[in-house]
Amino acid sequence: MLADGLRDSAGEGDVTVWPDEGGVEGRFLWLEVGRDPHTALFELPAEPVTEWLAGTYGLVPEGQETAPVEWNGLTHLVE
């Protein structure tokens, strides 16, 4: 969702992310959490978020987050 929010509006549930290209010091990312009337709005510089995502994708490629998880071995934790 963060990666999608760097390009366009993205969201799921009570979380929405969208880019703002017009920041004085460069590009920003807006993150809104909650539902009206109880919301929090955060303004984040996009560059550190982009760098952090690149680092995480270097460790685990995008779309492969759950590939190595052995779900059968973990089901006993929720029983």
Side-chain angles (χ1 to χ4, degrees), residues 18-76:
W18 66 94
D20 180 354
E21 305 281 337
V24 175
E25 295 181 24
R27 200 168 138 196
F28 286 89
L29 181 66
W30 292 97
L31 171 66
E32 184 176 48
V33 180
R35 290 189 182 174
D36 286 336
H38 306 288
T39 62
L41 181 61
F42 302 92
E43 179 185 41
L44 308 167
E47 185 176 343
V49 173
T50 302
E51 291 172 2
W52 178 78
L53 283 170
T56 63
Y57 291 149
L59 296 171
V60 179
E62 183 177 8
Q64 299 297 311
E65 295 87 356
T66 61
V69 176
E70 174 53 49
W71 293 108
N72 290 332
L74 294 175
T75 56
H76 73 280

